[in-house]
Amino acid sequence: MSDILSKTMFIAGAVASAARSTASYYIRGPRCAKWPLLFQIRRDVMHRTIASNLKRSPVEADIEQIDFELIAKHNQKWDLPTTKVPPDMGAYRSASIRVADIDVDPDLFAGAGPAESGLRALVARDRVEGGREVPYELTAPISMLCEGSDVGRAFTCAPIDASENIVLYVHGGAYRYGSPASHRGLTGRLSGLSGLRFVSVDYRLAPLHPYPSQLHDAYVAFLFLLRQGFKAQNIVLAGDSAGGNLALALLLLLRHTGIAHTVCGLVLLSPWTDLVSSRSSVERNAKYDYLAGPPLSSPLAPARLFYAPGRRYSQELVEEMSHPLVSPVNGSFEGFPPTLIQAGDRELLVDDIAQLHENLLRDNPDRGDSYIYECYADMVHVFHQFMELSDAAVAFASAGKFMKGL
């Protein structure tokens, strides 16, 4: 009964929010010039849903009473919906990586800052328990699925030829939501437009699997691609939001361990680059972006639920979360591969994202053309998911062209 009541209240609130948004649109005009009515309604409903949960956010004094299993169940209940690969772009197949088949040397994690102890523990647990798998989806572009093509080979995770590039994609969702299924529409479009195959990793989610579980799964997936015959210089790392954070942290970890100094390229869509940020766009764009969240001082701040759920706020915690393997904006980027960054100028994270681009240019002064930053006017966080926005199609086309040219 409580589920029925909560869903009824949610629907009623969403309808009321949509009505207010529609009235405002026709009376005052769109909140931003490029916003069609459908997007303004969707933005307002999403923001209301996220913001309403903040009203029940506990304070630091209640941290020991927080039930993180209950939070995980709530996240699963309200997870991101499944989307579809556009049939004119490609198709996907599900598979999984047997972790026992991947040789992970824990000694390579020595000196990896706050990730070291966690990564060593995760490797040890996998060896003791055995049997764990990392699910993934392999998306093939429509160009590989035409009549006369070897479809079976397209859905086999091995190089079709020695020069083939492949994309390792890690989805967004604040490390608490999402899956390859929720991002099929996004990865499918990128695959179709780039002509590249995508391996989308279904990594473990916080808070039941906190940092560095996600980094470990992404690391295993990269080693899997190497084991299948792909070379590091033929692997593109890509992700949106938290996935952008993970793609960056993965490359920094690969460089630290010596597995790979560089990769073919990076594609980052609204990446979450700084988990402890206090830059001004968080306040400046609060009335535009659909994102909302409690400050880092709250035990339910997304960054704390990801990194250290249940741990009390302290300066030591902030310093740990500022480490490049947690907040990649603080990393060293000398020799980084060609990178495309896309963001919206109305998103909360835009100042952090711009800082990442500045740091890439700072560390590679002679390779400025290798680091492309596209900031789209009036667009919000990961605007690519809203196909009613004309700039979503523009951004997809640009990303596809960039990957095709690597």
Side-chain angles (χ1 to χ4, degrees), residues 317-370:
L317 177 63
V318 174
E319 290 175 0
E320 286 182 25
M321 294 173 66
S322 299
H323 191 278
L325 290 177
V326 186
S327 294
V329 71
N330 299 318
S332 174
F333 303 105
E334 183 179 357
F336 246 52
T339 301
L340 172 65
I341 305 169
Q342 294 181 335
D345 72 351
R346 295 299 192 184
E347 65 173 291
L348 299 187
L349 307 182
V350 67
D351 286 357
D352 302 338
I353 296 168
Q355 186 64 59
L356 171 67
H357 182 243
E358 290 179 18
N359 293 352
L360 283 164
L361 297 178
R362 175 202 66 200
D363 292 349
N364 301 276
D366 300 326
R367 297 179 56 229
D369 292 344
S370 296

Side-chain angles (χ1 to χ4, degrees), residues 104-128 211-213 215-216 219 253 256-257:
V104 180
D105 182 357
D107 291 337
L108 296 179
F109 300 136
E116 179 181 351
S117 61
L119 288 171
R120 286 181 179 273
L122 290 167
V123 173
R125 185 185 307 166
D126 280 339
R127 289 178 175 176
V128 171
Y211 182 87
S213 299
L215 185 56
H216 181 226
Y219 187 80
L253 180 63
H256 176 83
T257 59

Side-chain angles (χ1 to χ4, degrees), residues 101-249:
D101 293 339
I102 309 301
D103 183 18
V104 180
D105 182 357
D107 291 337
L108 296 179
F109 300 136
E116 179 181 351
S117 61
L119 288 171
R120 286 181 179 273
L122 290 167
V123 173
R125 185 185 307 166
D126 280 339
R127 289 178 175 176
V128 171
E129 297 179 357
R132 191 172 74 86
E133 296 185 346
V134 177
Y136 70 91
E137 290 184 358
L138 176 59
T139 301
I142 193 68
S143 58
M144 293 186 180
L145 305 176
C146 300
E147 186 175 351
S149 301
D150 188 344
V151 175
R153 196 173 184 189
F155 288 117
T156 300
C157 193
I160 291 175
D161 59 62
S163 64
E164 182 195 7
N165 291 341
I166 193 166
V167 181
L168 180 62
Y169 194 90
V170 278
H171 66 83
Y175 284 120
R176 295 184 294 137
Y177 301 96
S179 66
S182 65
H183 283 61
R184 285 174 192 154
L186 193 155
T187 54
R189 285 184 174 87
L190 290 175
S191 177
L193 292 167
S194 66
L196 302 180
R197 294 190 292 168
F198 274 58
V199 169
S200 185
V201 184
D202 195 4
Y203 57 78
R204 290 168 287 183
L205 299 176
L208 296 187
H209 299 284
Y211 182 87
S213 299
Q214 301 77 14
L215 185 56
H216 181 226
D217 286 349
Y219 187 80
V220 166
F222 190 91
L223 294 182
F224 167 72
L225 291 181
L226 296 181
R227 183 175 181 270
Q228 294 299 105
F230 292 98
K231 297 177 181 178
Q233 59 264 33
N234 293 120
I235 300 174
V236 180
L237 301 181
D240 64 284
S241 192
N245 174 289
L246 184 51
L248 283 163

Side-chain angles (χ1 to χ4, degrees), residues 278-336:
S278 58
R279 295 183 177 90
S280 63
S281 59
V282 173
E283 294 185 4
R284 185 176 72 246
N285 286 333
K287 64 180 179 180
Y288 300 110
D289 207 350
Y290 58 87
L291 290 181
L296 193 63
S297 58
S298 166
L300 292 190
R304 288 176 63 185
L305 284 175
F306 156 61
Y307 181 75
R311 183 171 163 186
R312 290 192 176 278
Y313 183 81
S314 66
Q315 186 58 38
E316 181 183 15
L317 177 63
V318 174
E319 290 175 0
E320 286 182 25
M321 294 173 66
S322 299
H323 191 278
L325 290 177
V326 186
S327 294
V329 71
N330 299 318
S332 174
F333 303 105
E334 183 179 357
F336 246 52

